Amino acid sequence: MARNVFFSFHFANDFWRTQQVRNIGSLEGQSIYTPNAWEEVKRKGHDSIERWIDDNLKGKSCVVVLVGAETADRPWVMREIIKGWDAGKGVVGIRINKLLDTDSNPSSVGANPFEKIGHGNSGKKLSSIVELITPSGTDGKAVYASIKAGIEGWIEDAIAIREAN
């Protein structure tokens, strides 16, 4: 059974890379937003983005954070992670920096976004609970194959981790 997931990522930098993951076919996710549609949501302001996140988290079992070079620096990605975790959804990160962009270039490795989020009043970082997966492979094709082979299991693991925490 395909899980219905929420994809979180840095839109400007990683849209092309994330579409590769979203098109794997083993998952259902929120509808694919075009750059123009996302700009329209952003143009309407903070409350509009908050509503968009809330609306798109409904019915999802896991937040899949597709981590590129600057994902951890994006405030809306941080908000999506927090909202997903607080709503009891599984959360998992997958590095996508070796997937190629529209110019056939990989990107640099980005910071772990879960290092920037605290876990309640425990004093721990969310990174002590949530996994950031580095897919195997040295090039884009091998990394894609690794993601395709592993993503369903990583999501199931994230859901189980969340249920235990």
Side-chain angles (χ1 to χ4, degrees), residues 4-5 37 43 46 54 60 64 68 81 85 90-91 97 99 104-105 115 119 123 139 141 144 148 151 154-155 157:
N4 203 347
V5 302
R43 211 176 353 266
H46 181 273
D54 291 342
K60 307 302 189 286
V64 178
I81 293 168
W85 182 264
V91 177
N97 56 288
L99 294 178
S104 298
N105 295 313
E115 281 289 316
H119 179 253
D139 64 20
K141 286 183 181 182
Y144 177 86
K148 185 174 183 175
I151 195 166
W154 301 332
I155 289 168
D157 290 347

Side-chain angles (χ1 to χ4, degrees), residues 7 10 17 25 35 43 48 70 90 106 118 137 142 156-157 163:
F7 289 103
H10 180 194
R17 290 180 183 91
R43 211 176 353 266
S48 176
E70 298 177 23
E156 294 303 321
D157 290 347
E163 290 171 353

Side-chain angles (χ1 to χ4, degrees), residues 32-101:
I32 297 175
Y33 255 51
T34 65
N36 289 343
W38 176 241
E39 287 303 317
E40 181 63 27
V41 171
K42 284 186 353 184
R43 211 176 353 266
K44 291 179 182 174
H46 181 273
D47 291 343
S48 176
I49 297 171
E50 289 282 354
R51 274 191 308 278
W52 182 89
I53 294 169
D54 291 342
D55 290 347
N56 281 280
L57 278 172
K58 287 178 186 168
K60 307 302 189 286
S61 55
C62 189
V63 175
V64 178
V65 184
L66 300 173
V67 181
E70 298 177 23
T71 307
D73 297 326
R74 307 308 299 167
W76 290 115
V77 169
M78 297 298 106
R79 190 76 182 125
E80 292 162 351
I81 293 168
I82 292 166
K83 281 186 170 227
W85 182 264
D86 288 351
K89 298 175 188 317
V91 177
V92 65
I94 303 171
R95 292 196 180 277
I96 59 168
N97 56 288
K98 289 186 182 176
L99 294 178
L100 304 181
D101 64 13

Side-chain angles (χ1 to χ4, degrees), residues 3 26-27 62 92 94 131 133 146-161:
R3 286 285 190 174
S26 59
L27 303 171
C62 189
V92 65
I94 303 171
E131 290 186 273
I133 308 293
S146 176
I147 294 170
K148 185 174 183 175
I151 195 166
E152 291 181 79
W154 301 332
I155 289 168
E156 294 303 321
D157 290 347
I159 292 167
I161 288 168

